[in-house]
Amino acid sequence: MSDIYDLIVIGGGSGGVRAARMAATYGAKVALIEEYRYGGTCVIRGCVPKKLFVYASGFSHIFETAADFGWNVKADFNWKTLLENKDKEIERLENIYLNILENWKVDAIRDKAIIAGPNEVRLLKQDKVLRGKHILIATGAKPFKPNIKGAELGITSNEALDFKTLPKSILIEGGGYIAVEFASILLGLGVDVSLIYRRDLILRNFDEDVRKSLEQSLKARGLNLIYQTTITELKKSDEGVSVSFSDGKTAEFGAVMFATGRVPYIDNLGLENANIVANSSGAINVDEFGQTMCPSIYAVGDVTGKVQLTPVAIREGAAFAETIFNNNPTKIDYSLIPTAVFTDPEIGTIGLSETEAADKHKDIDIYIARFRPMINTLGSSQEKMLFKLITKKNGGRVLGCHIMGHGAGEMIQLVAIPMMMGATKADFDKAIAVHPTAAEELVTFKAPNYIYENGVKVG
Ligand code: NDP
């Protein structure tokens, strides 16, 4: 016996749920299979719990600043309360996801799905086969740990979101989003944090001014940075974990966390039964409409190895449903993706870095403002905000915008709108400033700090 669907979605995360819901709104009969919890990485063990922790961690800085404004705050922190409240919120969100599916009559099935053929999915626990005109793989990604001795003693962001008790000290390996965000969160919660990165500056591929400014701020807040080094071995110790480094040194930490990237989750998915071959990074290659090498099977989100961001997976899920179930072929524009790094201070960024812009457009103008935000002016904090605009020469198109400081994530979302519309520096200048704000810097830049001519920095 087999059930027949228009669409079988494998994976109940951001991309899968969006595709399932939209396909159902277009009248498709849909099943969605999830082996763990609805909501996927973002809701269950990614963006959402992380952001709640970012808020929790940020209070320590607010309390310090409060004293400068006359407040006498006596505060202590209870990790267990935070954990319990976080879990409740995630459960609430998971139920919302389930309700959405129920409301649209999507069959939400909790099981492990294995592709059994171009139009067949086997449910492992129920030992049953579903048939689908289309199958959508939206299984996401999972943390990657380097292949070193004792790697099993190191945790990943999954476990860091559920520490039973906070460690006194932690070593985090990696220089990307997750490494710096967790370093910042744990610093704010009073943990002694070291970050080890194999290169010489965090956040490769971000604008260099942003990278250096964040490095400086995190150091000033107590982060111990170890560059040009990797972890070579982990052993259990009295303190927690004893770590051997590539430079021959050793040290002990309460915990060690790998934030060394995430790899597509295709474990036991049965790709071979539909003649789909993952690429060398383990990702499923798709065309511009999300179609895999098997015509009835599509894929969206992290499993495709394109852009590992929730909003991108959601867009891809929606575009897939629009293409297949609304007869409206829809491609995604990946050219300008705003993104935030939720460190304290926060980063918001969109478009080209200075190096990329100089390389690609040759003649560009660079505008930079660095200043102590008003909230720091009554106290001793020397932390500065950074605003940087990169434009084509002489008031031309805005190519990149990079912000570091409080609210940078919110600001960059708004900057994304004029940038998608092709706004120029002259357009930004037409906007009247909102005063006193930090964001007014974006519309009050006068002359460039320096320019590039034919790809070479001048002045
Ligand atoms: P990233 O790819 O951003 O960073 C991985 C880091 O680990 C890099 O610094 C990389 O170094 C390093 N690394 C990789 N392999 C090794 C190794 N074998 N030994 C030592 N170091 C290694 O991955 P993350 O895990 O930080 O995040 C995964 C994805 O999740 C990101 O791409 C991002 O898109 C998404 N994300 C987004 C967030 C947001 O929008 N705020 C928050 C969290 C995650 P190198 O630079 O040399 O490659």
Side-chain angles (χ1 to χ4, degrees):
M1 259 300 273
S2 68
D3 294 341
I4 300 179
Y5 290 93
D6 296 312
L7 173 64
I8 300 173
V9 179
I10 306 177
S14 304
V17 169
R18 178 56 61 97
R21 176 172 72 81
M22 280 195 58
T25 63
Y26 293 133
K29 185 178 180 213
V30 184
L32 187 149
I33 307 157
E34 167 59 54
E35 64 178 320
Y36 180 53
R37 294 179 67 181
Y38 286 88
T41 299
C42 177
V43 173
I44 306 297
R45 45 194 178 193
C47 327
V48 172
K50 181 274 306 284
K51 187 83 189 268
L52 293 172
F53 284 10
V54 168
Y55 285 126
S57 152
F59 280 101
S60 56
H61 194 225
I62 294 171
F63 292 146
E64 273 168 34
T65 317
D68 303 328
F69 287 80
W71 288 91
N72 178 11
V73 182
K74 271 196 170 172
D76 57 36
F77 171 68
N78 189 319
W79 170 252
K80 205 166 153 259
T81 305
L82 174 64
L83 222 53
E84 282 169 8
N85 289 344
K86 179 264 291 181
D87 287 341
K88 267 189 235 155
E89 174 58 7
I90 287 172
E91 204 177 317
R92 188 184 73 84
L93 293 173
E94 186 180 13
N95 286 331
I96 290 177
Y97 269 69
L98 264 171
N99 288 341
I100 290 172
L101 295 173
E102 261 172 33
N103 290 346
W104 287 102
K105 309 270 179 286
V106 172
D107 287 346
I109 302 166
R110 240 180 253 265
D111 209 326
K112 166 74 185 175
I114 299 169
I115 295 171
N119 298 96
E120 283 180 350
V121 174
R122 190 157 66 83
L123 301 176
L124 192 65
K125 282 190 237 154
Q126 297 180 34
D127 194 19
K128 175 177 173 181
V129 173
L130 307 182
R131 284 189 59 77
K133 284 188 199 140
H134 298 93
I135 295 171
L136 179 69
I137 303 170
T139 48
K142 60 175 188 178
F144 159 80
K145 284 184 187 178
N147 185 16
I148 55 152
K149 246 179 154 180
E152 69 284 357
L153 297 173
I155 60 165
T156 68
S157 55
N158 287 352
E159 295 80 27
L161 290 164
D162 284 311
F163 276 127
K164 289 217 163 46
T165 50
L166 273 180
K168 284 204 170 61
S169 64
I170 190 165
L171 173 70
I172 301 176
E173 181 162 45
Y177 283 83
I178 296 182
V180 296
E181 285 183 347
F182 274 82
S184 173
I185 289 168
L186 293 167
L187 274 176
L189 296 179
V191 179
D192 182 1
V193 185
S194 299
L195 186 148
I196 176 170
Y197 180 40
R198 61 186 177 183
R199 298 179 199 260
D200 59 3
L201 187 58
I202 49 173
L203 290 182
R204 187 166 62 85
N205 296 332
F206 281 64
D207 185 88
E208 193 149 323
D209 279 313
V210 168
R211 301 170 71 193
K212 285 183 180 158
S213 302
L214 182 68
E215 179 199 59
Q216 200 181 346
S217 294
L218 292 177
K219 266 180 165 171
R221 289 177 182 223
L223 179 65
N224 173 34
L225 275 162
I226 308 163
Y227 282 143
Q228 307 280 19
T229 314
T230 55
I231 299 174
T232 51
E233 187 176 352
L234 300 182
K235 286 186 197 143
K236 258 201 178 127
S237 73
D238 294 342
E239 286 255 330
V241 187
S242 164
V243 181
S244 304
F245 298 107
S246 53
D247 59 6
K249 293 183 184 155
T250 56
E252 296 205 4
F253 297 87
V256 173
M257 170 176 159
F258 292 107
T260 39
R262 295 176 57 84
V263 289
Y265 180 50
I266 54 167
D267 304 4
N268 306 319
L269 192 56
L271 291 178
E272 62 287 356
N273 298 327
N275 292 322
I276 298 174
V277 183
N279 67 24
S280 58
S281 321
I284 299 175
N285 287 338
V286 291
D287 70 8
E288 53 200 1
F289 295 107
Q291 193 173 35
T292 68
M293 51 182 75
C294 174
S296 55
I297 302 185
Y298 288 70
V300 294
D302 290 3
V303 76
T304 66
K306 283 202 267 187
V307 184
Q308 293 184 332
L309 291 173
T310 298
V312 174
I314 291 174
R315 274 291 165 93
E316 290 173 350
F320 158 78
E322 193 65 28
T323 302
I324 303 299
F325 296 102
N326 199 30
N327 197 23
N328 176 23
T330 304
K331 296 181 198 169
I332 310 280
D333 179 358
Y334 295 96
S335 62
L336 275 176
I337 299 177
T339 165
V341 185
F342 293 101
T343 39
D344 192 0
E346 198 168 287
I347 289 171
T349 178
I350 182 168
L352 302 179
S353 66
E354 180 176 324
T355 315
E356 288 167 338
D359 202 37
K360 195 165 169 202
H361 294 276
K362 309 295 180 202
D363 296 322
I364 58 168
D365 295 346
I366 308 289
Y367 301 83
I368 301 177
R370 281 193 185 87
F371 57 93
R372 279 169 85 202
M374 212 176 197
I375 194 155
N376 286 347
T377 53
L378 296 195
S380 56
S381 172
Q382 295 303 312
E383 193 168 281
K384 290 186 172 159
M385 284 192 87
L386 170 77
F387 283 83
K388 181 167 180 180
L389 268 190
I390 300 162
T391 73
K392 282 194 180 175
K393 68 176 181 179
N394 301 333
R397 185 167 178 172
V398 178
L399 302 169
C401 177
H402 310 281
I403 303 171
M404 188 191 82
H406 181 67
E410 305 288 343
M411 286 186 247
I412 213 69
Q413 178 66 84
L414 301 180
V415 172
I417 300 168
M419 281 187 65
M420 283 307 288
M421 295 167 78
T424 61
K425 170 72 171 58
D427 292 323
F428 272 51
D429 292 345
K430 283 183 208 153
I432 293 179
V434 179
H435 186 72
T437 63
E440 65 184 306
E441 294 298 327
L442 290 172
V443 298
T444 52
F445 280 122
K446 297 285 178 295
N449 296 62
Y450 52 92
I451 64 172
Y452 280 74
E453 281 176 359
N454 204 18
V456 179
K457 188 172 169 180
V458 185

